């Protein structure tokens, strides 16, 4: 079953002078139920624009996005969006932040509280339910943001560089938690990342976009098992070949050898 689909999507914006600027052009791909797909590409190629279209925040200039077979005509409860910043509301407790989406969907207060407790326990944050965002570390705040994203039980998660604001050690831990959560909950996800290794170890497929106007120039299926164990995937011998292919497609050159040093074989 296809959960998320883009059909020949093109998006144009007006620049400062009023001229049309094409951000993405003729983008078509689909994400199956339970699949995790990463989008990589140079800055400004339209990756975030695709997520905004999939979430219903933008309407494309032409083409369409579909969720569960239905055209996306605006924000809907089947899709949840997680951004680079946690955007927790500072005046609400951690439990209240997790329950925010449920409250917006007019769920009973008892159900909001129950769901928040359940999710915080699954992320080992139960002891922080009554704390406030400023009392938590950056990594803990991102885990709260992920719990809030999952609270409304979406069919599709759109993840826009969700771990870019944390340190390397915390990022590794969050990658593990995300992979475990997606596997356990059977969720479908479209992930934007600039970290090529992250794309390989978290995904079933990686889609490579060109420079603006962005379009898909490569699709790479990750033939490594244990998608829910990114630490284990990191050690797989195939990772290096996937990384080399991605670097080639993105035209990321190896650093030049120091003057007088022999070139690598």
């Amino acid at each position: 079953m296809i959960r998320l689909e883009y059909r020949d999507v093109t998006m144009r914006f007006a620049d400062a002078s009023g001229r049309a600027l094409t951000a993405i052009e003729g983008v078509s791909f689909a994400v199956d139920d339970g699949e995790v797909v990463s989008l990589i590409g140079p800055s400004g190629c339209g990756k975030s624009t695709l997520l905004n279209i999939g979430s219903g925040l933008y309407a494309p200039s032409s083409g369409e996005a579909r969720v569960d077979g239905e055209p996306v005509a605006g924000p809907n409860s089947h899709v949840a969006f997680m951004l680079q910043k946690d955007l927790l509301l500072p005046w609400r407790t951690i439990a209240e932040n997790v329950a925010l989406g449920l409250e917006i969907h007019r769920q009973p207060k008892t159900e909001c509280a129950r769901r928040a407790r359940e999710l915080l326990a699954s992320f080992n944050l139960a002891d922080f339910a009554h704390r406030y965002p400023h009392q938590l570390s950056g990594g803990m705040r991102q885990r709260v943001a992920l719990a809030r994203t999952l609270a409304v039980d979406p069919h599709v998660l759109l993840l826009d560089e969700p771990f870019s604001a944390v340190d390397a050690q915390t990022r590794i831990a969050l990658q593990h938690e995300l992979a475990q959560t997606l596997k356990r909950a059977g969720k479908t996800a479209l992930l934007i990342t600039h970290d090529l290794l992250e794309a390989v170890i978290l995904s079933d497929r990686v889609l490579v976009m060109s420079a603006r106007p962005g379009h898909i120039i490569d699709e790479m299926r990750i033939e490594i098992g244990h998608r829910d164990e990114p630490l284990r995937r990191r050690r797989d011998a195939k990772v290096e070949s996937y990384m080399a292919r991605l670097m080639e497609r993105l035209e990321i050159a190896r650093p030049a050898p120091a003057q007088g040093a022999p070139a690598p074989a």
Side-chain angles (χ1 to χ4, degrees):
M1 177 181 178
I2 295 175
R3 284 292 188 190
L4 175 64
E5 185 178 11
Y6 294 87
R7 296 184 175 181
D8 197 23
V9 171
T10 293
M11 187 69 184
R12 300 182 184 90
F13 297 98
D15 65 14
S17 65
R19 293 176 301 182
L21 176 70
T22 303
I24 53 177
E25 187 170 45
V27 173
S28 297
F29 66 90
V31 184
D32 291 334
D33 183 41
E35 190 177 26
V36 179
V37 174
S38 284
L39 271 178
I40 65 169
S43 295
C45 71
K47 300 184 297 294
S48 294
T49 298
L50 282 170
L51 263 59
N52 284 323
I53 290 171
S55 68
L57 295 177
Y58 290 174
S61 303
S62 63
E64 66 175 0
R66 287 177 170 255
V67 172
D68 293 339
E70 296 293 326
V72 175
N76 67 80
S77 60
H78 290 184
V79 178
F81 208 155
M82 183 174 172
L83 303 172
Q84 298 175 28
K85 296 182 179 179
D86 58 73
L87 300 178
L88 301 179
L89 300 178
W91 59 87
R92 293 176 69 103
T93 66
I94 297 308
E96 290 169 345
N97 268 285
V98 172
L100 180 61
L102 294 168
E103 292 177 19
I104 292 172
H105 288 110
R106 301 181 182 276
Q107 295 296 309
K109 288 186 177 180
T110 53
E111 173 61 17
C112 293
R114 183 198 67 78
R115 182 67 172 149
R117 286 196 303 270
E118 180 183 87
L119 282 164
L120 288 173
S122 71
F123 283 99
N124 296 314
L125 291 168
D127 292 342
F128 300 89
H130 302 294
R131 301 283 183 90
Y132 288 87
H134 74 273
Q135 297 174 303
L136 273 62
S137 68
M140 294 169 73
R141 289 167 62 110
Q142 284 301 99
R143 285 154 63 195
V144 174
L146 180 56
R148 180 183 58 191
T149 304
L150 292 166
V152 296
D153 196 24
H155 295 172
V156 178
L157 275 70
L158 303 176
L159 308 168
D160 193 350
E161 296 191 74
F163 308 138
S164 63
V166 299
D167 62 82
Q169 182 176 337
T170 302
R171 186 170 190 148
I172 291 171
L174 290 172
Q175 288 169 347
H176 175 77
E177 289 197 24
L178 175 63
Q180 292 278 307
T181 299
L182 293 175
K183 181 71 172 181
R184 182 171 61 248
K187 296 300 182 184
T188 303
L190 181 59
L191 168 70
I192 288 177
T193 178
H194 283 287
D195 186 328
L196 304 187
L197 177 59
E198 182 170 82
V200 171
I201 64 175
L202 290 180
S203 307
D204 297 298
R205 282 186 295 141
V206 180
L207 303 179
V208 183
M209 292 186 69
S210 70
R212 190 174 65 239
H215 55 278
I216 306 299
I217 58 173
D218 199 2
E219 175 182 341
M220 188 170 73
R221 187 167 294 279
I222 306 301
E223 302 287 350
I224 305 175
H226 311 287
R227 195 199 70 200
D228 57 330
E229 298 182 62
L231 289 174
R232 182 172 179 176
R233 272 192 163 193
R234 281 174 179 264
R235 298 191 292 269
D236 194 286
K238 296 178 184 176
V239 168
E240 184 175 353
S241 63
Y242 288 131
M243 293 281 288
R245 177 172 164 184
L246 291 175
M247 292 176 70
E248 179 183 359
R249 296 302 280 143
L250 293 169
E251 298 182 353
I252 301 174
R254 291 184 179 182
Q259 189 172 3

